[in-house]
Each structure stands twice: as C-alpha cells, then as structure tokens.
Amino acid sequence: MNSKPREKKKVTLGFSIFTLLVLIAFIAAMLLVAKAPIVVVMILAWVLMIPFSLYLGYSLEEMESFAMDLIKPAVGVIALMIVVGGMIALWIASGTVPTLIYWGLKIVSPGAFLPIAFFLTSIVSMATGSSWAAVATIGAAMMGIGLGLGLPGGIVAGAVISGSYFGNSFSPMADVTIMTSSVTNVKIWDHIKFMSVPMLLAWGVSAVLYTVIGLGYSNTAIDSAVVNGMLTSLSSTFKIHWFTLIPMIVTLVMMIRRNSALISILVGSVIGAVVAVLFQGFSLEAVMTYMSDGFSSSWDNELIATLLNRGGFASMYMLVAIIVGALGIGGILNGTGIFSTIVSSLGKQIKGIAGLSVTTFVGAALTNCIVGTYYFCISLCGTLFPPMYKKLGYKPENPARIINNVANCLVPFLPWNIGCQYMMAQTGVSVKEFAPFLFFNMLIIVFDLVFGIFGIGAKKYTKEEMAAFAAEENTEVVS
C-alpha cells in the first residue's frame, strides 16, 4: 500500500532565519567548544537538519535526495582534487618543483619576490583559468622560494593565492567566469569587459601593495647557511635540470589549449612519473607509492622536508569528505526552500541600484559562507537577482559582476570552504596567517560593491527595451 506524500508547509522567512541561526550556532559550538574536526561537524550537521526538514513535510528519503542533488555535480571537482594530489607528488619526484625552487633561490632577492610571485601566479591562472592549477604548479615553487628567502609564510601565501584568484575570476577559460555568464545570460566577452575596470584596479593596487611590503625586506640579510642548506639538500637528492620542467610545460600548454583540466593533469602526472623513473632514478614501485600516498624522503633540512614530503591521492581524501559534508548541507537547505526564501525576500523592498548591489552582495556572501561552494552560489544568485535588476531597468551584467567575484574571491577567507581547505593544504599555511594578505580578493569585492552602489558604469536598458519587456509581460498575462 502506497503512503500518500506528506503535505509541504510554506517556508517562512522567520523559519528560514531560525534554521540558519541554529545551524551556525551548532557549527560554531562544535568547532570552538567541542574542538571537533571540521569534517565531523559537516557530516553531523546533516542530522541536525532532520527535524527542520520533517517539520516542513519532507521525508528522510527526500532530504537525502536533496543532499545528493548538490553532491553529484561535484564529482568532477572531487576527481580533479584527487589527481592534483597525485600530480604534486610526481612533480616533486620528477624534480619539477625542486628545480623551480632551486633556481628561484639562486636568482630572486627578498625585496623583489612578492610582486614576482603575485605576477607569475596571475599569469598562470589567466592562462589556465584555474586558481587550483596555479597554486599547485607555480605556486608550490613560489612558496618554497619565499620561505627559503626568509619571508613569512602568510605573506608569501597571500601573494600566491591572490594571484591565482585573479585569473580564476577574469579568465575566459575559468569555470567561474563561464558559469556566471551562462547562468545570468550574459555573453562571456561582455561579462569580462564589464568586469575589467574594477578587476584591473584591484590587481594594480594589489601589485603596488606587494611591492611596498616586499621593499621592506630588501635589506633583510639572507641567511646563507639556510639557503645553502636547502640548495645542497635539493641538488643531492634530485638532478636539477630544465628537462624536469617538461611535465609542467605539457600540462600548462594542454590547459591553455582548453583541454580538460582533469586529463591535462593526468597526462602531466604520467610524464612526471616517466621523468622520475628514467631521469631521477626512482624505482617504478616507489613512484607509484608516491602517487598514492605522497612523496616521502629522509632529509637533513627540515624546511625542505616540510615543502616536499607531501602530495599523493591520500592527501586529498579529507578534503573530499569535507566537500561531501558541506554540499550535502547546501543541498538540503536548497531543496527545502530555506535558502531561496531568504535570498528572494532580500530584494522585495529595493528601489535603486545601491540597494540592488548591497542585496546581491549579501545574498552571494551568505550563500557562499553557508554552503561552501561557488557553484551553488552562482546558480542560486545568478537565477534570482537578474530579474530584480531588470524590473528597475538594469542589465544582468550588473549582478553578474558582483556574483562572479563574491562567489569566487570570498572563498579563501572561509575555513570550512572547499577552496580555503585546498589553499591551506597546498601552501601549508593557515587561513589566519594568509587572510590579511589576500589583497586582490579583498579589493575586488570592495571595488565591485563601490561601483555597484554608486552606479559607476552601470549598464541600463533603453526606454524602448523596457517598453518591449512590459508589452511582453502584458501579452503573457492576457494569454
């Protein structure tokens, strides 16, 4: 005998806010008081959502389905994370990362390092469209060089991560840029052109700030004993040669040519394994173990050990679990209508571009903070906000710019977010240390908000276009 579906209750704004407050309080208490690992907190939060879902009339099966609806599309991201872990280990074994670190320590001075690191990661992220690829490749080398030169890890990671997010927000190959333009129905080059002024301003000011900070280290005496110790450790374990850069070059070329990031990284990993065996002299068994569990070697230099004993598929498993937990929560909040109720209610009393801009910022930030993935943030906000702008005569380019950069550049500030966890894992630096130095990420959000509030360069529909929209709506009502 089939049971009748339960009647669904209308989700009120008050209930939605109460649910979110309880969820936030639970997560905060578990992290700060119980000192529970974030992955445990994310999974247990599913259980917390059960009574709220049941109250609205949803069954446990429906609740599970909502969670899976957001997890399933992330399988590609999860696969990419795992293969990146393997690639890092193989590029260390092949000598790719050690060679870059070795040459960097030989050439770069402390005073010039920060703007160079910011510039290089910006270039790689623009070329590949991926902040993850930039940090895992050139970023890994920059971290080694910066620490070897005696610069604080937080500042170095800040420059590396900021540069990587520039391309991830602005490149026509970046999934953030493509997805935002698609969801908001804006042609991608129109979207990029509309973002360009605040984007380039934020990049320019960031470059100046890194240069100024870097100059403060110009007179810093390099501890030659430390640098020489690192150089000796590297050269005694690896053959330092341009040939070792082939895995990275092939990967970057494939990604620039818009091949699949997953396949590009896998190909680069295989080439790295070949170089590790035939050129560096590691056994095939050892190289396969590195790919699985991470590169590991005995070092007489503690800093080199910290930099190079890492990677492997296994290094990403915890991040994968965190992703599943965070996306599951977001799926439940989305499926039950709790999120859409809050976001849509934000725009009901708006009468101008300033209110629209602030509401878009709050909606995107709130969604990103709680769900922990920009895919959901872009999908939800990119669907809800453009119609609000249209009613007041503004084109979708306006909300698209704010959504694009809040969804993407807020990520590394949120410890529970997928992207932040990834950046901490790749740089070996905590969010508390690098967050104050994420100049580009902070500035682009501020500039976008300022441009939006004051309507600087805002794109509007003509009177004729608005009249045509009104006529279309009247026709639909009549029919």
Side-chain angles (χ1 to χ4, degrees), residues 382-437:
T383 302
L384 290 175
F385 287 116
M388 299 180 192
Y389 281 75
K390 186 177 179 180
K391 286 182 180 179
L392 296 181
Y394 291 96
K395 292 186 175 182
E397 285 91 330
N398 299 283
R401 180 172 63 190
I402 297 175
I403 294 168
N404 186 102
N405 293 323
V406 173
N408 186 43
C409 293
L410 189 64
V411 164
F413 293 100
L414 312 174
W416 56 90
N417 192 288
I418 303 165
C420 183
Q421 289 286 324
Y422 180 86
M423 293 302 162
M424 287 193 289
Q426 296 308 315
T427 62
V429 179
S430 71
V431 64
K432 291 188 294 184
E433 294 177 272
F434 65 63
F437 302 102

Short mmCIF file of all heavy atoms in Angstrom, two decimals, residues 382-437:
data_model
loop_
_atom_site.label_atom_id
_atom_site.label_comp_id
_atom_site.label_asym_id
_atom_site.label_seq_id
_atom_site.Cartn_x
_atom_site.Cartn_y
_atom_site.Cartn_z
N GLY A 382 22.61 33.81 -9.43
CA GLY A 382 22.54 34.17 -10.84
C GLY A 382 21.16 33.98 -11.43
O GLY A 382 20.82 34.57 -12.46
N THR A 383 20.34 33.18 -10.76
CA THR A 383 18.96 32.96 -11.20
C THR A 383 18.01 33.97 -10.55
O THR A 383 17.11 34.50 -11.21
CB THR A 383 18.51 31.53 -10.85
OG1 THR A 383 19.38 30.60 -11.47
CG2 THR A 383 17.08 31.29 -11.31
N LEU A 384 18.22 34.26 -9.27
CA LEU A 384 17.30 35.09 -8.51
C LEU A 384 17.46 36.59 -8.75
O LEU A 384 16.47 37.33 -8.82
CB LEU A 384 17.45 34.81 -7.01
CG LEU A 384 16.97 33.46 -6.50
CD1 LEU A 384 17.29 33.30 -5.03
CD2 LEU A 384 15.46 33.32 -6.71
N PHE A 385 18.68 37.08 -8.88
CA PHE A 385 18.89 38.53 -8.88
C PHE A 385 18.69 39.26 -10.21
O PHE A 385 18.16 40.38 -10.22
CB PHE A 385 20.27 38.85 -8.31
CG PHE A 385 20.35 38.67 -6.82
CD1 PHE A 385 21.20 37.71 -6.26
CD2 PHE A 385 19.57 39.42 -5.96
CE1 PHE A 385 21.26 37.53 -4.89
CE2 PHE A 385 19.61 39.23 -4.59
CZ PHE A 385 20.47 38.29 -4.04
N PRO A 386 19.11 38.71 -11.36
CA PRO A 386 18.91 39.46 -12.62
C PRO A 386 17.48 39.95 -12.86
O PRO A 386 17.30 41.09 -13.33
CB PRO A 386 19.36 38.46 -13.69
CG PRO A 386 20.43 37.69 -13.00
CD PRO A 386 19.92 37.50 -11.60
N PRO A 387 16.42 39.16 -12.54
CA PRO A 387 15.06 39.69 -12.73
C PRO A 387 14.76 40.91 -11.86
O PRO A 387 14.00 41.80 -12.28
CB PRO A 387 14.17 38.50 -12.32
CG PRO A 387 15.02 37.29 -12.55
CD PRO A 387 16.40 37.72 -12.18
N MET A 388 15.37 40.98 -10.67
CA MET A 388 15.19 42.15 -9.81
C MET A 388 15.80 43.39 -10.46
O MET A 388 15.22 44.48 -10.41
CB MET A 388 15.83 41.91 -8.44
CG MET A 388 15.28 40.76 -7.65
SD MET A 388 16.13 40.60 -6.05
CE MET A 388 15.55 38.98 -5.52
N TYR A 389 16.96 43.22 -11.06
CA TYR A 389 17.62 44.34 -11.75
C TYR A 389 16.81 44.75 -12.97
O TYR A 389 16.66 45.94 -13.27
CB TYR A 389 19.03 43.92 -12.19
CG TYR A 389 20.06 43.96 -11.10
CD1 TYR A 389 20.11 42.97 -10.12
CD2 TYR A 389 21.02 44.97 -11.04
CE1 TYR A 389 21.07 42.99 -9.11
CE2 TYR A 389 21.99 45.00 -10.05
CZ TYR A 389 22.01 44.00 -9.09
OH TYR A 389 22.95 44.04 -8.09
N LYS A 390 16.28 43.77 -13.67
CA LYS A 390 15.51 44.05 -14.89
C LYS A 390 14.30 44.91 -14.60
O LYS A 390 13.96 45.81 -15.37
CB LYS A 390 15.09 42.73 -15.54
CG LYS A 390 14.40 42.89 -16.89
CD LYS A 390 14.08 41.53 -17.49
CE LYS A 390 13.38 41.66 -18.83
NZ LYS A 390 13.06 40.33 -19.42
N LYS A 391 13.65 44.67 -13.47
CA LYS A 391 12.46 45.45 -13.11
C LYS A 391 12.78 46.93 -12.96
O LYS A 391 11.93 47.79 -13.19
CB LYS A 391 11.86 44.91 -11.80
CG LYS A 391 11.12 43.60 -11.94
CD LYS A 391 10.53 43.16 -10.61
CE LYS A 391 9.79 41.84 -10.76
NZ LYS A 391 9.22 41.38 -9.45
N LEU A 392 14.01 47.23 -12.54
CA LEU A 392 14.42 48.61 -12.35
C LEU A 392 15.22 49.15 -13.55
O LEU A 392 15.79 50.24 -13.48
CB LEU A 392 15.25 48.75 -11.08
CG LEU A 392 14.51 48.42 -9.76
CD1 LEU A 392 15.42 48.62 -8.57
CD2 LEU A 392 13.27 49.30 -9.61
N GLY A 393 15.27 48.36 -14.62
CA GLY A 393 15.89 48.85 -15.84
C GLY A 393 17.37 48.57 -15.99
O GLY A 393 18.02 49.16 -16.86
N TYR A 394 17.92 47.67 -15.17
CA TYR A 394 19.36 47.39 -15.24
C TYR A 394 19.61 46.02 -15.86
O TYR A 394 18.90 45.06 -15.60
CB TYR A 394 19.97 47.43 -13.83
CG TYR A 394 20.00 48.82 -13.25
CD1 TYR A 394 18.99 49.25 -12.39
CD2 TYR A 394 21.03 49.70 -13.56
CE1 TYR A 394 19.00 50.54 -11.86
CE2 TYR A 394 21.06 50.99 -13.03
CZ TYR A 394 20.03 51.40 -12.19
OH TYR A 394 20.06 52.68 -11.67
N LYS A 395 20.67 45.97 -16.68
CA LYS A 395 21.02 44.74 -17.39
C LYS A 395 21.69 43.72 -16.46
O LYS A 395 22.23 44.09 -15.41
CB LYS A 395 21.96 45.07 -18.56
CG LYS A 395 21.28 45.86 -19.68
CD LYS A 395 22.20 46.03 -20.88
CE LYS A 395 21.47 46.72 -22.02
NZ LYS A 395 22.32 46.88 -23.24
N PRO A 396 21.69 42.44 -16.86
CA PRO A 396 22.23 41.38 -15.99
C PRO A 396 23.74 41.45 -15.78
O PRO A 396 24.27 40.79 -14.88
CB PRO A 396 21.84 40.09 -16.71
CG PRO A 396 21.62 40.49 -18.14
CD PRO A 396 21.06 41.88 -18.07
N GLU A 397 24.46 42.25 -16.59
CA GLU A 397 25.90 42.42 -16.36
C GLU A 397 26.19 42.96 -14.97
O GLU A 397 27.23 42.65 -14.37
CB GLU A 397 26.51 43.37 -17.40
CG GLU A 397 26.69 42.78 -18.77
CD GLU A 397 25.49 43.00 -19.67
OE1 GLU A 397 24.36 43.10 -19.14
OE2 GLU A 397 25.66 43.08 -20.90
N ASN A 398 25.26 43.77 -14.45
CA ASN A 398 25.46 44.39 -13.13
C ASN A 398 25.51 43.38 -11.99
O ASN A 398 26.49 43.34 -11.24
CB ASN A 398 24.38 45.45 -12.88
CG ASN A 398 24.41 46.56 -13.92
OD1 ASN A 398 25.25 47.45 -13.88
ND2 ASN A 398 23.49 46.51 -14.88
N PRO A 399 24.50 42.50 -11.84
CA PRO A 399 24.61 41.50 -10.78
C PRO A 399 25.67 40.44 -11.09
O PRO A 399 26.29 39.90 -10.17
CB PRO A 399 23.21 40.87 -10.73
CG PRO A 399 22.64 41.10 -12.09
CD PRO A 399 23.18 42.44 -12.51
N ALA A 400 25.89 40.16 -12.39
CA ALA A 400 26.86 39.12 -12.77
C ALA A 400 28.25 39.45 -12.24
O ALA A 400 28.97 38.57 -11.78
CB ALA A 400 26.90 38.95 -14.28
N ARG A 401 28.64 40.73 -12.30
CA ARG A 401 29.97 41.12 -11.83
C ARG A 401 30.12 40.87 -10.33
O ARG A 401 31.14 40.32 -9.88
CB ARG A 401 30.21 42.60 -12.14
CG ARG A 401 31.57 43.11 -11.68
CD ARG A 401 31.82 44.53 -12.17
NE ARG A 401 30.86 45.49 -11.62
CZ ARG A 401 30.74 46.74 -12.04
NH1 ARG A 401 31.49 47.18 -13.04
NH2 ARG A 401 29.86 47.56 -11.48
N ILE A 402 29.13 41.26 -9.56
CA ILE A 402 29.21 41.07 -8.10
C ILE A 402 29.18 39.60 -7.75
O ILE A 402 29.98 39.12 -6.94
CB ILE A 402 28.05 41.82 -7.41
CG1 ILE A 402 28.18 43.33 -7.65
CG2 ILE A 402 28.05 41.52 -5.90
CD1 ILE A 402 27.03 44.14 -7.10
N ILE A 403 28.27 38.85 -8.37
CA ILE A 403 28.15 37.42 -8.08
C ILE A 403 29.43 36.69 -8.44
O ILE A 403 29.93 35.86 -7.67
CB ILE A 403 26.95 36.82 -8.86
CG1 ILE A 403 25.64 37.40 -8.35
CG2 ILE A 403 26.94 35.29 -8.72
CD1 ILE A 403 24.44 37.10 -9.23
N ASN A 404 30.00 37.00 -9.60
CA ASN A 404 31.23 36.37 -10.07
C ASN A 404 32.34 36.48 -9.03
O ASN A 404 33.00 35.49 -8.67
CB ASN A 404 31.67 37.04 -11.37
CG ASN A 404 32.87 36.36 -12.03
OD1 ASN A 404 32.73 35.63 -13.00
ND2 ASN A 404 34.06 36.64 -11.55
N ASN A 405 32.54 37.68 -8.51
CA ASN A 405 33.70 37.91 -7.65
C ASN A 405 33.45 37.62 -6.17
O ASN A 405 34.37 37.21 -5.46
CB ASN A 405 34.20 39.33 -7.85
CG ASN A 405 34.76 39.53 -9.24
OD1 ASN A 405 35.39 38.65 -9.80
ND2 ASN A 405 34.50 40.68 -9.84
N VAL A 406 32.22 37.78 -5.71
CA VAL A 406 31.92 37.40 -4.32
C VAL A 406 31.92 35.88 -4.20
O VAL A 406 32.49 35.32 -3.26
CB VAL A 406 30.57 37.98 -3.86
CG1 VAL A 406 30.19 37.43 -2.48
CG2 VAL A 406 30.63 39.50 -3.80
N ALA A 407 31.31 35.21 -5.19
CA ALA A 407 31.26 33.75 -5.17
C ALA A 407 32.66 33.15 -5.19
O ALA A 407 32.93 32.13 -4.54
CB ALA A 407 30.45 33.24 -6.35
N ASN A 408 33.57 33.79 -5.92
CA ASN A 408 34.91 33.23 -6.11
C ASN A 408 35.91 33.74 -5.09
O ASN A 408 36.60 32.96 -4.43
CB ASN A 408 35.40 33.56 -7.52
CG ASN A 408 36.72 32.90 -7.84
OD1 ASN A 408 36.93 31.73 -7.53
ND2 ASN A 408 37.61 33.65 -8.45
N CYS A 409 36.01 35.05 -4.94
CA CYS A 409 37.11 35.64 -4.15
C CYS A 409 36.88 35.63 -2.64
O CYS A 409 37.82 35.88 -1.88
CB CYS A 409 37.38 37.06 -4.63
SG CYS A 409 38.04 37.11 -6.32
N LEU A 410 35.66 35.36 -2.21
CA LEU A 410 35.41 35.24 -0.77
C LEU A 410 35.87 33.88 -0.23
O LEU A 410 36.13 33.71 0.96
CB LEU A 410 33.92 35.44 -0.49
CG LEU A 410 33.48 35.58 0.97
CD1 LEU A 410 34.08 36.82 1.60
CD2 LEU A 410 31.95 35.63 1.06
N VAL A 411 35.97 32.92 -1.15
CA VAL A 411 36.26 31.53 -0.80
C VAL A 411 37.45 31.33 0.15
O VAL A 411 37.31 30.65 1.17
CB VAL A 411 36.45 30.69 -2.08
CG1 VAL A 411 37.12 29.36 -1.79
CG2 VAL A 411 35.11 30.45 -2.75
N PRO A 412 38.65 31.89 -0.13
CA PRO A 412 39.80 31.56 0.73
C PRO A 412 39.76 32.16 2.13
O PRO A 412 40.64 31.87 2.94
CB PRO A 412 41.00 32.12 -0.07
CG PRO A 412 40.43 33.18 -0.91
CD PRO A 412 39.04 32.73 -1.27
N PHE A 413 38.74 32.95 2.43
CA PHE A 413 38.61 33.50 3.78
C PHE A 413 37.79 32.58 4.69
O PHE A 413 37.74 32.79 5.90
CB PHE A 413 37.91 34.87 3.74
CG PHE A 413 38.71 35.94 3.07
CD1 PHE A 413 38.45 36.31 1.76
CD2 PHE A 413 39.74 36.60 3.74
CE1 PHE A 413 39.19 37.30 1.12
CE2 PHE A 413 40.48 37.60 3.12
CZ PHE A 413 40.21 37.94 1.81
N LEU A 414 37.15 31.57 4.11
CA LEU A 414 36.21 30.72 4.86
C LEU A 414 36.84 29.36 5.14
O LEU A 414 36.94 28.53 4.23
CB LEU A 414 34.91 30.55 4.06
CG LEU A 414 34.30 31.85 3.50
CD1 LEU A 414 33.11 31.54 2.60
CD2 LEU A 414 33.89 32.77 4.66
N PRO A 415 37.24 29.08 6.37
CA PRO A 415 37.96 27.85 6.71
C PRO A 415 37.21 26.56 6.36
O PRO A 415 37.82 25.54 6.10
CB PRO A 415 38.19 27.95 8.22
CG PRO A 415 38.07 29.40 8.52
CD PRO A 415 37.07 29.95 7.55
N TRP A 416 35.87 26.63 6.35
CA TRP A 416 35.08 25.43 6.07
C TRP A 416 34.82 25.26 4.57
O TRP A 416 34.22 24.28 4.15
CB TRP A 416 33.74 25.51 6.81
CG TRP A 416 32.95 26.74 6.47
CD1 TRP A 416 32.03 26.89 5.46
CD2 TRP A 416 33.02 28.00 7.13
NE1 TRP A 416 31.54 28.16 5.44
CE2 TRP A 416 32.13 28.87 6.47
CE3 TRP A 416 33.75 28.49 8.21
CZ2 TRP A 416 31.96 30.20 6.85
CZ3 TRP A 416 33.57 29.81 8.60
CH2 TRP A 416 32.69 30.65 7.93
N ASN A 417 35.27 26.23 3.79
CA ASN A 417 35.01 26.19 2.36
C ASN A 417 36.00 25.27 1.65
O ASN A 417 37.16 25.15 2.06
CB ASN A 417 35.11 27.61 1.78
CG ASN A 417 34.57 27.71 0.38
OD1 ASN A 417 35.20 27.23 -0.55
ND2 ASN A 417 33.42 28.33 0.23
N ILE A 418 35.54 24.64 0.58
CA ILE A 418 36.37 23.73 -0.19
C ILE A 418 37.66 24.40 -0.63
O ILE A 418 38.77 23.89 -0.46
CB ILE A 418 35.61 23.24 -1.43
CG1 ILE A 418 34.29 22.58 -1.04
CG2 ILE A 418 36.46 22.29 -2.26
CD1 ILE A 418 33.33 22.42 -2.21
N GLY A 419 37.51 25.59 -1.24
CA GLY A 419 38.66 26.30 -1.78
C GLY A 419 39.67 26.69 -0.73
O GLY A 419 40.89 26.60 -0.95
N CYS A 420 39.20 27.14 0.43
CA CYS A 420 40.10 27.53 1.51
C CYS A 420 40.86 26.32 2.02
O CYS A 420 42.08 26.40 2.26
CB CYS A 420 39.31 28.19 2.64
SG CYS A 420 40.36 28.78 3.99
N GLN A 421 40.18 25.21 2.18
CA GLN A 421 40.83 23.99 2.64
C GLN A 421 41.93 23.57 1.65
O GLN A 421 43.02 23.16 2.04
CB GLN A 421 39.80 22.86 2.77
CG GLN A 421 38.85 23.02 3.94
CD GLN A 421 39.52 22.72 5.27
OE1 GLN A 421 40.37 21.84 5.35
NE2 GLN A 421 39.16 23.44 6.31
N TYR A 422 41.62 23.72 0.37
CA TYR A 422 42.60 23.37 -0.67
C TYR A 422 43.82 24.28 -0.59
O TYR A 422 44.97 23.82 -0.67
CB TYR A 422 41.94 23.48 -2.04
CG TYR A 422 42.87 23.14 -3.19
CD1 TYR A 422 43.03 21.82 -3.61
CD2 TYR A 422 43.59 24.14 -3.85
CE1 TYR A 422 43.88 21.50 -4.66
CE2 TYR A 422 44.44 23.83 -4.90
CZ TYR A 422 44.58 22.52 -5.30
OH TYR A 422 45.43 22.21 -6.34
N MET A 423 43.59 25.59 -0.45
CA MET A 423 44.70 26.55 -0.39
C MET A 423 45.58 26.31 0.84
O MET A 423 46.80 26.41 0.77
CB MET A 423 44.17 27.98 -0.40
CG MET A 423 43.49 28.37 -1.70
SD MET A 423 44.60 28.21 -3.13
CE MET A 423 43.43 28.20 -4.48
N MET A 424 44.96 26.00 1.96
CA MET A 424 45.74 25.71 3.16
C MET A 424 46.58 24.45 2.96
O MET A 424 47.74 24.39 3.36
CB MET A 424 44.81 25.54 4.37
CG MET A 424 44.22 26.85 4.88
SD MET A 424 43.44 26.69 6.52
CE MET A 424 41.97 25.74 6.10
N ALA A 425 45.98 23.44 2.30
CA ALA A 425 46.70 22.18 2.08
C ALA A 425 47.88 22.38 1.13
O ALA A 425 48.96 21.81 1.36
CB ALA A 425 45.75 21.13 1.51
N GLN A 426 47.70 23.20 0.10
CA GLN A 426 48.76 23.37 -0.89
C GLN A 426 49.89 24.28 -0.42
O GLN A 426 51.05 24.07 -0.76
CB GLN A 426 48.18 23.92 -2.21
CG GLN A 426 47.20 22.99 -2.90
CD GLN A 426 47.76 21.60 -3.09
OE1 GLN A 426 48.90 21.44 -3.50
NE2 GLN A 426 46.97 20.58 -2.78
N THR A 427 49.56 25.31 0.34
CA THR A 427 50.59 26.25 0.80
C THR A 427 51.20 25.86 2.14
O THR A 427 52.30 26.31 2.48
CB THR A 427 50.03 27.67 0.92
OG1 THR A 427 48.98 27.69 1.92
CG2 THR A 427 49.48 28.16 -0.41
N GLY A 428 50.48 25.02 2.91
CA GLY A 428 50.96 24.66 4.24
C GLY A 428 50.84 25.81 5.22
O GLY A 428 51.49 25.81 6.27
N VAL A 429 49.99 26.78 4.91
CA VAL A 429 49.81 27.97 5.75
C VAL A 429 48.34 28.06 6.16
O VAL A 429 47.45 27.79 5.35
CB VAL A 429 50.22 29.25 4.99
CG1 VAL A 429 50.02 30.49 5.85
CG2 VAL A 429 51.68 29.15 4.55
N SER A 430 48.06 28.44 7.40
CA SER A 430 46.68 28.52 7.88
C SER A 430 45.99 29.77 7.35
O SER A 430 46.65 30.76 6.99
CB SER A 430 46.64 28.53 9.41
OG SER A 430 47.12 29.76 9.91
N VAL A 431 44.66 29.73 7.31
CA VAL A 431 43.90 30.88 6.82
C VAL A 431 44.13 32.11 7.69
O VAL A 431 44.12 33.25 7.19
CB VAL A 431 42.39 30.52 6.75
CG1 VAL A 431 41.82 30.22 8.13
CG2 VAL A 431 41.61 31.65 6.09
N LYS A 432 44.36 31.92 8.97
CA LYS A 432 44.63 33.06 9.85
C LYS A 432 45.90 33.80 9.46
O LYS A 432 46.01 35.01 9.64
CB LYS A 432 44.74 32.60 11.32
CG LYS A 432 43.44 32.12 11.93
CD LYS A 432 43.58 31.87 13.41
CE LYS A 432 44.51 30.71 13.69
NZ LYS A 432 44.58 30.40 15.14
N GLU A 433 46.85 33.07 8.90
CA GLU A 433 48.12 33.68 8.51
C GLU A 433 48.05 34.36 7.15
O GLU A 433 48.62 35.44 6.95
CB GLU A 433 49.22 32.60 8.50
CG GLU A 433 49.55 32.03 9.85
CD GLU A 433 50.59 30.92 9.76
OE1 GLU A 433 50.19 29.75 9.56
OE2 GLU A 433 51.78 31.23 9.85
N PHE A 434 47.35 33.74 6.16
CA PHE A 434 47.37 34.35 4.83
C PHE A 434 46.21 35.29 4.54
O PHE A 434 46.30 36.14 3.65
CB PHE A 434 47.49 33.30 3.72
CG PHE A 434 46.35 32.33 3.57
CD1 PHE A 434 45.07 32.75 3.23
CD2 PHE A 434 46.56 30.95 3.69
CE1 PHE A 434 44.03 31.85 3.04
CE2 PHE A 434 45.54 30.04 3.49
CZ PHE A 434 44.26 30.49 3.18
N ALA A 435 45.09 35.19 5.29
CA ALA A 435 43.92 36.02 5.01
C ALA A 435 44.22 37.52 5.00
O ALA A 435 43.74 38.24 4.12
CB ALA A 435 42.80 35.70 6.00
N PRO A 436 45.01 38.07 5.95
CA PRO A 436 45.27 39.51 5.92
C PRO A 436 46.04 39.99 4.70
O PRO A 436 46.10 41.19 4.43
CB PRO A 436 46.10 39.73 7.20
CG PRO A 436 45.81 38.56 8.07
CD PRO A 436 45.61 37.42 7.13
N PHE A 437 46.62 39.07 3.94
CA PHE A 437 47.45 39.45 2.80
C PHE A 437 46.82 39.08 1.46
O PHE A 437 47.48 39.12 0.42
CB PHE A 437 48.84 38.82 2.93
CG PHE A 437 49.53 39.21 4.20
CD1 PHE A 437 49.58 38.33 5.28
CD2 PHE A 437 50.10 40.47 4.35
CE1 PHE A 437 50.19 38.69 6.47
CE2 PHE A 437 50.71 40.85 5.54
CZ PHE A 437 50.76 39.96 6.61
#
